[in-house]
Amino acid sequence: MAVAALAASAEGSFSVSGRKILDAGGNEFMMRGVNYSWCWQRGHEYSVIPAAKRIGANIIRIQLGDGQQFYRPSASELEELIALCEQHRLVAMFNTHDETGSDNVDDLRRAAAFWIDMKDVLNRHLSTVIVNISNEWYGSWGNADAWADGYKTVIPMMRQAGLRNMLVVDCAGYGQWPRSMFLKGDEVARADELHNTVLSMHLYQDAAGTDRDVRSHIDNAQSLSVPVIIGEFAYRHKGCDVAWQTILDYSLEKRMGWLGWSWTGNGGGAEECDMFASYDDSQYLPNGTCIVKGRGGIAETSEECLVFSEPLPGPDGPDPEPIPGPDGWDVAGEHVLSPAGNPAGWNNVIEIPATVFASATRASMVRLHADCDGGAEIQLAVKTADESADWTQLNDYDRIDGPTYDLAVEDVPRLSEGMHPDTFLERAKARGLYVKGRGFRLNRVQLLNPRTDDLTGIASDIADDTEPAIIHDLQGRRVEHMQPGGIYIVRRGARVTKVVR
């Protein structure tokens, strides 16, 4: 029976194998991530999540609320958060934050009830979503039994209700009393009939004030039968130093996953925990520099979860096939958004990743494929040259009442204010494209260029075929054929012409 339960937990989801975390393909996954407090920073996910990918994170831990203290998301809002993480190839770990520091088991039951309410959404994303049941439930130190009993109560509730995602349990003492899990962690893990629970410790000054503390806790974690991660840490916390470099060094040596706290917006004396000065990655603060760029940090040790090496299936099957461009147009770049959809609202910005434009040498038109409600309006933008949080609007809000919306780059109103079409492509390549508006759900984005079938259709001055054409690309390499979206130098005898394909 135990073998059957283990197989059930591994099918299509993250799973536990001894002290290793495996992805849905059976590959070891070592977390290197960040924390983002969505429940009191809503609306910034369209900046933070893409930025987390840019700095190299492979997972993001997102704080939600169950409605007791913090904002409780709807099922559709949770689906949108997951879709955004999947779009940017990030594993999502969610927790509820309302119970932080509470010793009341009823509070923990409320958190479990929230996840049960959301089980249909969560079970659709077993390969990309992990559930951290509650942030730092059981704030007291010294009573491992009470901490364990709480989780031994709610984990069976969640499993019997049908929730199948990997679970994460924070240790007692606001996450800073690892001894609670050293004493009772295996008992907590055994309460999971799917054998798919991971333990977590938070390393600040109380648990990680010295190198010796860090090494001792990580060594003791190795004695447990299940994986342990570091769910939070920072280089300093409430005016106290943390042995952050030892956390990075020794966790790498022992292959332990971790997530830094936190992106931005900390208060109550924890301001030094901010990794960045705003909701993007344009200005590193000392904590971000340590965690991302430090020896053994995200930039050096993070590896993307291998579940993203293949297209993620939607709820109704695999991603849709490519759609050709309209008559007379070639598709130079394309991005298909999650089947869960990306609804746009006035306060939501959908980012189209720069990879869509990476290979293009020309951009003539952007086509958006969308499902529209009545009164839908749309606007496109690119980042400003200084890569700040601001952007340059490409067009005023425009009505969209059909399945597609086209914006010809040469007709962009803002070009009259000094923005050249090449500048649009440069910025889109550097930072991506941004879509704003209301009343539509974005499905696909295409970069289009006019189709040219032969040399005579490209330029009349090279139509004379009395001389053979010698074609070079802009790197000086001779080629036999010109590809859509390319720029070439064509020589016929003494005549040399620059051709935009």
Side-chain angles (χ1 to χ4, degrees):
M1 292 295 292
V3 172
L6 181 59
S9 74
E11 184 178 356
S13 73
F14 286 95
S15 61
V16 166
S17 177
R19 289 191 295 273
K20 292 182 180 180
I21 295 173
L22 305 183
D23 68 19
N27 309 290
E28 183 180 4
F29 178 58
M30 188 165 63
M31 298 179 188
R32 290 293 183 263
V34 295
N35 280 265
Y36 163 51
S37 303
W38 181 85
C39 58
W40 63 85
Q41 296 177 336
R42 296 193 316 281
H44 296 289
E45 60 270 23
Y46 294 91
S47 178
V48 172
I49 291 173
K53 181 61 179 180
R54 286 196 297 270
I55 67 169
N58 59 22
I59 185 170
I60 184 166
R61 180 174 179 256
I62 299 176
Q63 280 68 52
L64 306 178
D66 63 22
Q68 296 303 307
Q69 295 188 57
F70 298 107
Y71 180 81
R72 176 189 173 107
S74 65
S76 61
E77 286 174 316
L78 180 58
E79 186 78 69
E80 290 165 25
L81 280 170
I82 295 171
L84 187 61
C85 291
E86 289 179 349
Q87 176 187 338
H88 293 282
R89 304 166 76 90
L90 286 168
V91 175
M93 181 192 296
F94 295 104
N95 68 67
T96 56
H97 210 78
D98 309 67
E99 306 79 32
T100 301
S102 171
D103 293 353
N104 188 337
V105 73
D106 288 338
D107 291 336
L108 189 60
R109 287 176 183 270
R110 269 194 296 268
F114 170 78
W115 300 119
I116 292 170
D117 288 346
M118 297 294 176
K119 69 177 181 180
D120 291 340
V121 174
L122 298 166
N123 283 341
R124 284 198 292 269
H125 301 276
L126 297 174
S127 66
T128 59
V129 172
I130 297 170
V131 174
N132 185 183
I133 300 173
S134 177
N135 180 72
E136 298 179 354
W137 178 79
Y138 210 84
S140 297
W141 295 50
N143 194 340
D145 287 328
W147 166 79
D149 287 345
Y151 281 106
K152 287 158 64 177
T153 298
V154 302
I155 290 174
M157 288 172 48
M158 296 167 70
R159 292 306 192 202
Q160 290 163 18
L163 184 69
R164 296 169 52 211
N165 301 73
M166 172 175 276
L167 303 178
V168 175
V169 171
D170 291 355
C171 67
Y174 285 87
Q176 289 203 75
W177 189 46
R179 182 169 170 77
S180 59
M181 67 180 180
F182 303 151
L183 292 171
K184 294 290 182 176
D186 282 338
E187 286 186 21
V188 169
R190 284 195 296 269
D192 181 0
E193 66 183 43
L194 295 184
H195 304 282
N196 203 16
T197 292
V198 173
L199 302 171
S200 175
M201 55 185 172
H202 295 176
L203 298 187
Y204 297 111
Q205 71 275 14
D206 293 332
T210 68
D211 297 342
R212 181 179 178 180
D213 290 339
V214 171
R215 290 177 176 273
S216 174
H217 293 325
I218 292 177
D219 284 340
N220 285 329
Q222 303 292 301
S223 68
L224 296 172
S225 63
V226 296
V228 176
I229 64 168
I230 301 166
E232 295 181 16
F233 76 100
Y235 93 115
R236 281 177 62 82
H237 183 252
K238 295 193 173 181
C240 300
D241 289 334
V242 177
W244 65 272
Q245 187 61 67
T246 305
I247 293 173
L248 298 185
D249 291 340
Y250 206 49
S251 64
L252 180 60
E253 181 178 334
K254 298 298 183 179
R255 299 197 63 77
M256 179 176 286
W258 50 254
L259 301 99
W261 183 275
S262 73
W263 196 270
T264 197
N266 286 284
E271 290 81 0
E272 289 175 304
C273 292
D274 285 1
M275 296 174 65
F276 297 93
S278 63
Y279 292 102
D280 67 6
D281 56 330
S282 59
Q283 185 177 348
Y284 278 77
L285 296 177
N287 192 40
T289 300
C290 293
I291 292 174
V292 178
K293 299 180 178 181
R295 184 180 70 243
I298 287 174
E300 184 179 302
T301 65
S302 178
E303 296 182 1
E304 183 177 272
C305 184
L306 290 176
V307 299
F308 296 110
S309 61
E310 297 293 336
L312 289 169
D316 300 318
D319 288 339
E321 295 295 322
I323 293 177
D327 290 343
W329 295 82
D330 287 313
V331 179
E334 183 174 64
H335 179 65
V336 179
L337 284 82
S338 166
N342 288 266
W346 295 126
N347 295 321
N348 295 340
V349 180
I350 302 170
E351 180 181 357
I352 310 306
T355 52
V356 175
F357 310 93
S359 62
T361 56
R362 183 186 181 198
S364 295
M365 186 165 70
V366 176
R367 167 166 281 202
L368 307 182
H369 297 255
D371 300 322
C372 301
D373 299 327
E377 296 183 74
I378 205 163
Q379 184 180 62
L380 280 69
V382 288
K383 281 282 190 178
T384 52
D386 63 2
E387 299 187 353
S388 71
D390 297 325
W391 41 60
T392 298
Q393 316 294 348
L394 297 179
N395 63 309
D396 294 324
Y397 282 107
D398 197 4
R399 290 292 300 271
I400 173 173
D401 53 12
T404 60
Y405 174 85
D406 295 334
L407 180 69
V409 174
E410 293 181 354
D411 294 336
V412 169
R414 298 301 185 268
L415 297 180
S416 62
E417 300 172 10
M419 185 178 176
H420 189 271
D422 290 347
T423 306
F424 159 77
L425 187 56
E426 289 170 4
R427 293 189 187 173
K429 281 186 173 185
R431 302 290 281 186
L433 181 71
Y434 296 81
V435 183
K436 303 189 292 180
R438 64 170 181 172
F440 64 91
R441 187 175 295 271
L442 192 59
N443 302 318
R444 186 186 302 260
V445 178
Q446 293 178 318
L447 178 64
L448 303 175
N449 284 314
R451 180 177 302 140
T452 49
D453 296 322
D454 52 36
L455 292 179
T456 60
I458 300 171
S460 59
D461 63 351
I462 60 171
D464 182 2
D465 58 3
T466 58
E467 294 281 352
I470 300 174
I471 307 170
H472 291 83
D473 62 19
L474 290 183
Q475 287 72 46
R477 297 183 295 258
R478 184 167 177 174
V479 297
E480 295 297 324
H481 304 286
M482 292 183 284
Q483 301 298 321
I487 301 176
Y488 299 90
I489 304 299
V490 178
R491 180 188 298 274
R492 287 188 182 276
R495 180 183 297 169
V496 178
T497 306
K498 178 181 179 182
V499 175
V500 179
R501 172 76 163 158

